[in-house]
Amino acid sequence: MTRGGGAPEALALALSPLLQPLRLLSRAGLARVAVLREIEPLVQRVVEQARPYAGDLEAGLDRLEETARGFDSAPEARRRTAIAALVRELAGLVDVPEEIAALARDESTPTSKTTPTSTSNTTATPNSTRTSTPTSNSTRTSTPTSTSPRDSPSRPPARRAAIAAAAQKAGLTPDPLLTPVDHLRGVGPAIRDKLRSKGLGTVQDLLLNLPRRYEDRRKRRTVAEAPLGERSVIAGTVAWIDEVRARRGRRLEVRLRDDEGGYLMLLWFHYRPSLVQRLRTGARIVVSGDVRAGWRGGAKTMSHPDVEPLEPGGGDALPSDPASDDSFGRVVPVYADVEGVPARTYRRIARRAVDEYARHLADVLPRGVLERRELWPLAEAVREAHFPDRSADVAATAQRPAGEPHRRMAFEELFMVQLGLALRRRGVKVEPGIAFRATEESIERIVKSLPWPLTRAQRSSVGAIAQDMRKPEPMNRLLQGDVGSGKTAVALCAALLAVEDGYQAALMAPTEILAEQHTRSLRRLLRERRDVHVELVTGSLGARERAHAERLVRGGAAHIVVGTHALAEEDTDFHKLGLAVIDEQHRFGVMTRASLMKKGARPDVLVMTATPIPRTLALTLYGDLDVSVLDELPPGRTPIATRVYRDAQRERAYDVVRRELKAGRQAYVVLPLVEESEKLADLKAATKERDRLAVDVFPDIPIGLVHGRQSAQERNEAMDRFLRGEDRILVATTVIEVGVDVPNATVMLVEHAERFGLSQLHQLRGRVGRGAAKSHCLLLTGTSGAEWGPAARERLKVMEETTDGFRIAEADLELRGPGEFLGTRQSGMPDFAVAELTRDQAILQEAREEAFALVQSDPDLRKPENEALRDAFHNRWRGRLSLARVG
Ligand code: ADP
Ligand code: MG
């Protein structure tokens, strides 16, 4: 059968997940169309999966996908027509069950449009035939699979494999990489199911499931030779085996005798009975594991070693031909465990997948890139990543995918992201924006009106921003600067440049408290400028206040508008938005930035981040932005002395606070953040702590309280009391994390410091040390031993050692990985399977250069040599990041 004929069964199976929501709808009635969720992404996903089996029906798939576009945000009437169209297109591709086909007729019957009763009437009419449409060119008979509801989309690997199997049965392999695993020799149904349950349904899944680490099993050692504290491979004979009943459970002890008569004790504390059978006395085995000292009288031991039987009669010869045995005599891949599939078996399966299918992995990177960067072909890189031969020494040293194989795979991953960023940046730049005047005189005037001269770094940032603003294309700049480096003043200068030209400026902050704080500081800085009106718009304004504020924004009377994401919401209309400043961008993600940008006729965008983001991450997250860095602090700051205290040393920490209070200073007491869902508990904890401090620790000292459950007004009042010095201590949850500015506060005490990320602590610490007086940061740790473990101590030590936000951020990134570092709230951060941002900076840089150069030379990826890349790019990003179109 030719490809053009399609594979009806495979196509039907691939499209079958669409039947579920449709069936639901046919039962509930078309009038319930509003209940459907996430239809557009579902259709996209399903269509994508179905493409290889479409044959000459591709166009039908395109139309099918088109019907769902915008579905999830469409009003009911549009949804109904969309469903009808979707069903028609689906029916043109595969046979659909009668009750679903009825949905299409339903919509086209005028009388049935509005009443649910008529809907159910129509669905109850069984004798109508299938809707015929212009695209319905098929006379196929219905296959059982096409109507099977069994295929739950929640088991994608099984689905993919089933589709591939159906395709193969139809005599068609559109993509050999989708071959089901059980087509490999040695994989039967039992192992297939076990692999599938780990998401390994096709040979492609196997190829992309890279080893977690390697073990160098090229050389064997005798027990005497094996150094303590290192992994070794040792062969020998089981001399003696014993299951010992210990107080808690059993343990297995095996004495291994090597060929020189040395003894090694093997220990298992958890094991399966089958292990005992494999280790009969006299069995010849090879073991691999960490060699330790200390078994009764000092004999060497190995706990939980990997064990492989030696060929019977093979004598000393370890199998060394890699083709005959992939588990010894080479650098051996160690994969994540698949329950029920022994490591050695898995290795054999991986070897077959690599030998038979790796060559089908196509290089989508342009040839020029591969050559310039001397990248290996992908197939070779994957092969070597599994079974290092050429790169064996590198793999043995690194003990994980490294060297050229790693470089090739990481390059592609990073390249795809950078390509998205490059395309996005280009998309923004080509659209006409506002050309502000931003003259040198206005800059001078604005800067002069500030209470202090700008720092050198602030000056040059303002210069770069002004230059961007003058250009007729939209500015897209990142202003990066450590806590307290004075980003607000820079933002204000930019805002005033826009205002002078008759535009509005928006400043969007991640939290209400920060928006409120920004409003206060801007108003303070603008005291001399009565003509500039600053307005605050947040979700917690009362309905009337909000309406009032929005009127001012709409009418243009508000020149600078400060707010939370409420600004990006639909009902905030600007009169003439010219500049959008976004603070702490990574908390919003790409999408919010995009929706704010739509508010004006392509406003300029300035993104500020107070979290010092390591360069690697900055490139990944903000690769489409130009960057200015504030790398110096305003003068007159004194360093903050930071100390970590155990709970038992609490009194000493309180003494520091008392001393500062006595000197007329103020203090923060910070409690750990609790989950969004536990705000009530947050309130309780904060209130309780305030009361405890007021009664037991700091009697007669007025203590204020801010937390996440307060209304904007309450919080504002509390902040104002603290700012005016009426409250001397402020107990706070991390709502004060960013932006709060009270120069007289010189000491901060953080409870349960171990629960914070280092960067977060650094942000917090930035709340003190804002005046000229010496400041203190006291980090208290929890009472339980686990929390105050060596790892926690090590982590917090970094805080004692440095106040350099970038160093802290790097340390944080290394300790916690990018996901945690950035928190879960941010969106648009791709996750990588291969690349590691901390170690792959050089690769990232190369990938970035190539991606940006490519977009420069072929802005729409239209050149034929970039066709494969374009397809791969769209497949990769579809539905995850609308990178190419944001903005
Ligand atoms: P960031 O937002 O970068 O953390 P802020 O903009 O809040 O920092 O500024 C920190 C503090 O420094 C504020 O009190 C601000 O008034 C002050 N400040 C900013 N720029 C200067 C400057 N050039 N000279 C003196 N003080 C400054
Ligand atoms: Mg700030």
Side-chain angles (χ1 to χ4, degrees):
M1 186 183 274
T2 64
R3 189 183 162 151
E9 286 172 51
L11 184 64
L13 186 58
L15 291 174
S16 63
L18 295 181
L19 299 177
Q20 274 180 341
L22 293 174
R23 190 171 284 115
L24 184 129
L25 198 59
S26 76
R27 262 188 249 120
L30 194 54
R32 300 293 307 282
V33 69
V35 304
L36 294 182
R37 297 260 175 276
E38 308 263 326
I39 292 299
E40 181 170 359
L42 171 72
V43 173
Q44 278 184 355
R45 222 167 36 237
V46 166
V47 163
E48 218 41 58
Q49 248 185 16
R51 282 202 190 276
Y53 314 101
D56 50 14
L57 298 177
E58 280 261 12
L61 281 182
D62 288 340
R63 282 194 302 272
L64 181 64
E65 190 172 353
E66 199 50 47
T67 60
R69 188 135 302 155
F71 184 91
D72 299 294
S73 56
E76 185 183 328
R78 280 248 306 284
R79 286 179 160 225
R80 284 162 163 260
T81 14
I83 288 291
L86 190 147
V87 170
R88 270 195 300 275
E89 293 300 340
L90 190 61
L93 292 162
V94 295
D95 295 295
V96 298
E98 172 51 33
E99 77 267 22
I100 291 177
L103 287 170
R105 275 193 305 282
D106 227 21
E107 177 59 14
S108 48
T109 316
T111 50
S112 67
K113 260 204 173 118
T114 44
T115 52
T117 38
S118 65
T119 306
S120 43
N121 281 346
T122 322
T123 29
T125 313
N127 57 355
S128 48
T129 48
R130 234 181 76 203
T131 319
S132 85
T133 70
T135 58
S136 171
N137 56 357
S138 146
T139 50
R140 282 175 235 125
T141 49
S142 180
T143 61
T145 44
S146 71
T147 56
S148 161
R150 288 276 72 88
D151 256 297
S152 142
S154 65
R155 292 184 53 208
R159 270 196 58 75
R160 240 177 299 147
I163 294 166
Q168 213 151 47
K169 213 167 94 202
L172 190 87
T173 27
D175 184 350
L177 292 172
L178 296 181
T179 306
V181 284
D182 53 358
H183 285 233
L184 292 169
R185 205 153 38 86
V187 181
I191 288 187
R192 175 197 64 200
D193 290 344
K194 283 169 182 146
L195 291 173
R196 274 187 187 176
S197 71
K198 279 281 182 182
L200 304 168
T202 66
V203 293
Q204 175 171 279
D205 297 332
L206 292 175
L207 292 175
L208 298 182
N209 181 39
L210 298 177
R212 299 185 124 174
R213 58 183 179 83
Y214 301 106
E215 255 177 57
D216 190 351
R217 296 188 186 167
R218 287 174 298 185
K219 266 198 299 274
R220 268 187 308 156
R221 288 174 168 138
T222 61
V223 176
E225 285 164 354
L228 294 176
E230 258 183 47
R231 288 192 82 89
S232 282
V233 177
I234 298 172
T237 310
V238 174
W240 167 91
I241 178 164
D242 195 14
E243 288 190 79
V244 182
R245 250 168 233 299
R247 201 173 311 146
R248 269 191 266 163
R250 301 165 302 173
R251 93 178 158 249
L252 181 64
E253 297 180 3
V254 173
R255 222 147 99 100
L256 186 76
R257 182 180 184 280
D258 75 9
D259 300 336
E260 294 182 354
Y263 281 101
L264 178 69
M265 184 60 79
L266 311 175
L267 297 170
W268 281 268
F269 302 95
H270 329 273
Y271 54 95
R272 290 159 182 275
S274 62
L275 180 70
V276 184
Q277 267 147 42
R278 281 200 288 146
L279 294 174
R280 282 160 294 109
T281 313
R284 296 273 298 153
I285 59 173
V286 192
V287 296
S288 164
D290 279 325
V291 176
R292 297 233 162 74
W295 186 255
R296 298 169 194 158
K300 288 174 178 171
T301 70
M302 228 183 236
S303 294
H304 292 251
D306 284 0
V307 181
E308 308 279 351
L310 267 180
E311 318 282 295
D316 282 3
L318 268 181
S320 59
D321 173 10
S324 79
D325 194 308
D326 294 307
S327 291
F328 276 93
R330 59 168 302 118
V331 175
V332 174
V334 180
Y335 296 92
D337 283 340
V338 179
E339 174 88 44
V341 182
R344 199 168 184 174
T345 309
Y346 186 89
R347 242 173 245 135
R348 269 195 206 118
I349 296 169
R351 165 60 92 180
R352 292 215 170 104
V354 167
D355 284 352
E356 292 164 31
Y357 291 93
R359 70 198 147 89
H360 294 292
L361 289 166
D363 282 296
V364 298
L365 295 179
R367 182 185 297 274
V369 174
L370 292 170
E371 284 169 3
R372 259 191 309 282
R373 302 295 171 175
E374 300 183 344
L375 293 165
W376 288 15
L378 183 61
E380 180 65 10
V382 169
R383 194 176 294 131
E384 282 280 319
H386 285 275
F387 297 98
D389 290 321
R390 280 168 78 182
S391 57
D393 290 330
V394 180
T397 320
Q399 295 205 1
R400 58 176 174 170
E404 288 303 320
H406 172 79
R407 183 166 158 266
R408 171 64 185 84
M409 293 181 291
F411 188 98
E412 180 158 336
E413 235 174 25
L414 295 167
F415 181 87
M416 288 297 184
V417 174
Q418 294 301 320
L419 187 60
L421 293 171
L423 287 169
R424 187 165 76 192
R425 160 129 114 188
R426 193 194 134 268
V428 171
K429 292 278 182 201
V430 294
E431 312 245 356
I434 308 161
F436 293 96
R437 280 176 301 161
T439 60
E440 288 303 325
E441 297 88 85
S442 17
I443 299 176
E444 253 354 276
R445 204 171 45 242
I446 289 167
V447 169
K448 270 222 192 79
S449 73
L450 296 174
W452 11 251
L454 292 183
T455 64
R456 180 198 46 77
Q458 283 172 319
R459 244 341 290 213
S460 69
S461 300
V462 170
I465 290 167
Q467 203 170 10
D468 283 358
M469 288 179 73
R470 284 193 287 267
K471 288 185 193 157
E473 60 195 36
M475 165 167 77
N476 222 1
R477 181 167 287 273
L478 174 70
L479 178 63
Q480 195 182 9
D482 207 346
V483 201
S485 57
K487 292 181 294 295
T488 317
V490 174
L492 177 62
C493 292
L496 289 175
L497 286 174
V499 171
E500 295 214 338
D501 275 5
Y503 285 90
Q504 290 169 299
L507 171 53
M508 187 160 76
T511 63
E512 300 209 334
I513 198 152
L514 183 51
E516 290 153 15
Q517 170 77 32
H518 274 317
T519 312
R520 260 193 304 267
S521 12
L522 290 181
R523 285 183 181 150
R524 202 150 18 109
L525 291 172
L526 285 169
R527 243 186 324 230
E528 308 292 308
R529 303 263 326 235
R530 295 274 159 210
D531 56 323
V532 179
H533 179 79
V534 180
E535 189 62 40
L536 173 70
V537 178
T538 65
S540 65
L541 287 183
R544 269 184 44 216
E545 285 172 295
R546 171 122 186 220
H548 176 70
E550 267 158 11
R551 253 196 318 280
L552 294 181
V553 177
R554 208 172 322 122
H559 302 109
I560 301 180
V561 185
V562 185
T564 52
H565 52 268
L567 286 185
E569 278 161 17
E570 278 180 22
D571 40 358
T572 310
D573 278 328
F574 285 85
H575 174 63
K576 202 178 174 191
L577 181 62
L579 171 76
V581 181
I582 306 180
D583 200 358
E584 291 287 301
Q585 139 100 8
H586 66 274
R587 302 199 181 201
F588 294 113
V590 170
M591 290 329 207
T592 318
R593 176 164 29 131
S595 60
L596 189 62
M597 280 188 76
K598 290 204 187 91
K599 299 264 163 172
R602 309 240 131 232
D604 280 1
V605 172
L606 177 67
V607 172
M608 306 198 294
T609 177
T611 306
I613 296 178
R615 190 175 156 68
T616 35
L617 274 185
L619 281 182
T620 314
L621 285 171
Y622 308 121
D624 57 332
L625 305 182
D626 301 303
V627 180
S628 289
V629 181
L630 295 182
D631 53 4
E632 86 189 296
L633 296 180
R637 305 278 170 84
T638 47
I640 305 161
T642 301
R643 263 211 68 182
V644 182
Y645 295 86
R646 297 163 194 256
D647 191 60
Q649 303 166 314
R650 176 174 290 276
E651 268 310 312
R652 281 166 50 193
Y654 286 145
D655 282 343
V656 178
V657 178
R658 284 195 194 96
R659 217 170 51 222
E660 291 298 308
L661 291 172
K662 217 171 189 166
R665 308 288 177 200
Q666 290 165 276
Y668 295 105
V669 172
V670 179
L671 307 177
L673 183 72
V674 294
E675 293 295 314
E676 197 67 8
S677 57
E678 296 170 29
K679 275 192 175 161
L680 203 59
D682 178 28
L683 165 70
K684 270 200 201 132
T687 316
K688 218 170 113 193
E689 179 65 6
R690 197 258 312 261
D691 295 347
R692 190 185 73 81
L693 290 174
V695 174
D696 296 344
V697 191
F698 305 109
D700 308 325
I701 303 266
I703 302 181
L705 180 62
V706 288
H707 56 75
R709 286 284 283 206
Q710 280 163 324
S711 73
Q713 198 192 343
E714 286 174 303
R715 204 158 51 216
N716 241 322
E717 280 165 12
M719 290 306 303
D720 278 341
R721 269 199 311 278
F722 189 63
L723 190 60
R724 287 197 300 266
E726 292 166 25
D727 282 336
R728 306 283 309 288
I729 297 178
L730 187 64
V731 175
T733 55
T734 42
V735 285
I736 69 156
E737 182 182 339
V738 274
V740 176
D741 192 9
V742 182
N744 191 45
T746 54
V747 57
M748 168 174 291
L749 186 149
V750 183
E751 294 282 353
H752 284 286
E754 76 283 351
R755 294 195 196 160
F756 293 86
L758 295 183
S759 291
Q760 213 180 0
L761 285 175
H762 180 66
Q763 294 282 334
L764 277 169
R765 182 166 64 177
R767 299 311 107 205
V768 294
R770 302 212 138 208
K774 177 171 170 139
S775 294
H776 301 267
C777 176
L778 318 169
L779 304 176
L780 264 86
T781 59
T783 43
S784 91
E787 286 172 335
W788 183 231
R793 189 163 34 221
E794 199 56 38
R795 216 160 63 86
L796 290 174
K797 257 214 188 104
V798 178
M799 299 300 298
E800 289 185 343
E801 284 159 8
T802 182
T803 52
D804 178 346
F806 286 84
R807 264 200 57 201
I808 289 169
E810 295 281 0
D812 224 9
L813 185 57
E814 241 155 64
L815 289 164
R816 301 195 302 164
E820 240 193 292
F821 174 80
L822 291 165
T824 44
R825 260 185 296 172
Q826 58 80 37
S827 57
M829 173 70 191
D831 30 77
F832 298 106
V834 181
E836 284 174 42
L837 292 170
T838 39
R839 79 193 251 232
D840 294 337
Q841 306 204 16
I843 303 174
L844 174 62
Q845 190 58 43
E846 289 182 312
R848 178 175 170 78
E849 284 164 20
E850 290 293 348
F852 276 71
L854 182 75
V855 169
Q856 188 105 64
S857 71
D858 185 10
D860 294 312
L861 306 186
R862 292 245 175 274
K863 293 187 184 163
E865 67 264 32
N866 295 330
E867 193 184 332
L869 176 65
R870 188 180 62 226
D871 290 349
F873 176 78
H874 285 306
N875 278 341
R876 192 141 335 174
W877 289 122
R878 187 185 297 247
R880 284 190 60 199
L881 277 175
S882 40
L883 279 164
R885 267 188 301 137
V886 164

